[in-house]
Amino acid sequence: MDHDGHGGTAELPPFTWARGLQFDAEPFFLFSCLIALGLYCWGVVRLRRRGDYWQPGRTAGFVLGVLSVLLVTCTALNAYGMVLFSVHMTQHMVISMLSPILLLLGAPVTLLLRALPSAGRGRKGPREILVALLHSRYVRVVTSPLFTIPAFIASLYGLYFTPVFDFLMESRVGHNGMMVHFLAVGLVFFWPIMGLDPGPHRPGHLMRMMELFATMPFHAFFGIAVMMASEPVVGAFADPPASLGADVLADQSAAGGIAWAFSEIPTVVVLIALTMQWYLSEQRTARRKDRTADRDGDRELAAYNDYLAALRARG
């Protein structure tokens, strides 16, 4: 796709998914995703070489997460997303709700902690820096629900209903920065909820579900508000190129519908993952209690036998 000097687009044909999914590399996201994949594969190979097991499902989840980021940033969707609200909203929903979940299912922090070598006593290496970061006040703040829930909501209302969005859409850099923001907010929001990687906040499974559902009414209301608006919500999409043949209000209504409906898919995925984690946690707890009860029973039986032996000796 050809892009103009302001980060928008030259003449684009009417949008179809066949055109939207054509490869159109954005260098920043392409290299970032390749580096992330390379680091993850390095960690998996390092573990396997020393005989440690790493679940293939986690690798598959992380790879799918990276591919989902590439899908919305390194295809023509990125160009159409500069001029069509519906395409942009598709990018937003995927990179803020689907990509973070898939990436976190890969447990990348756990993998790094297991793969990075220890620097030794009194020394600091990459592993020690990562551990210090995980226990830092900064991470405690950004993973707290008091921060993640408002940040997640502000990514909708604080951008689309203020001049900030139009300002960022004036340049390709601003648009890419917005995508990075969406991904980062999604990661810190779902990180404590998914519970696979170590972190400063480890709420119970019920509390995680409550955090997940806390944003849903705001998400639904945002989508409905965009769908029902009788005039363009943001100026960036008010005057699309004539070559697109797009109806601005119809495209805006489609964008609102995408925002409203899309949240259900990640919610179901996370609920399934949480339910499975809860079940497995209860199973582990039950087995641990059984083992403790068996040990206590063996000790009581041994004590009783000793008591009988003592009685026989006195008799």
Side-chain angles (χ1 to χ4, degrees), residues 86-158:
S86 60
V87 178
H88 169 84
M89 190 59 67
T90 300
Q91 288 182 286
H92 181 168
M93 293 298 103
V94 170
I95 205 168
S96 69
M97 299 195 72
L98 182 60
S99 300
I101 292 172
L102 292 171
L103 291 170
L104 291 169
L105 285 174
V109 177
T110 301
L111 178 63
L112 273 181
L113 288 173
R114 292 180 61 183
L116 289 171
S118 177
R121 181 178 298 179
R123 300 170 61 185
K124 277 194 175 182
R127 188 179 188 280
E128 287 70 24
I129 294 174
L130 178 58
V131 171
L133 178 63
L134 290 174
H135 291 87
S136 66
R137 174 177 292 184
Y138 170 77
V139 172
R140 285 199 299 272
V141 170
V142 300
T143 58
S144 166
L146 296 178
F147 176 87
T148 59
I149 293 176
F152 201 82
I153 296 170
S155 292
L156 296 171
Y157 297 90

Side-chain angles (χ1 to χ4, degrees), residues 5-8 82 165-178:
H6 299 287
M82 296 290 295
F165 185 83
D166 287 333
F167 171 75
L168 293 174
M169 290 293 287
E170 290 178 357
S171 68
R172 194 77 174 186
V173 173
H175 184 255
N176 289 342
M178 199 184 330

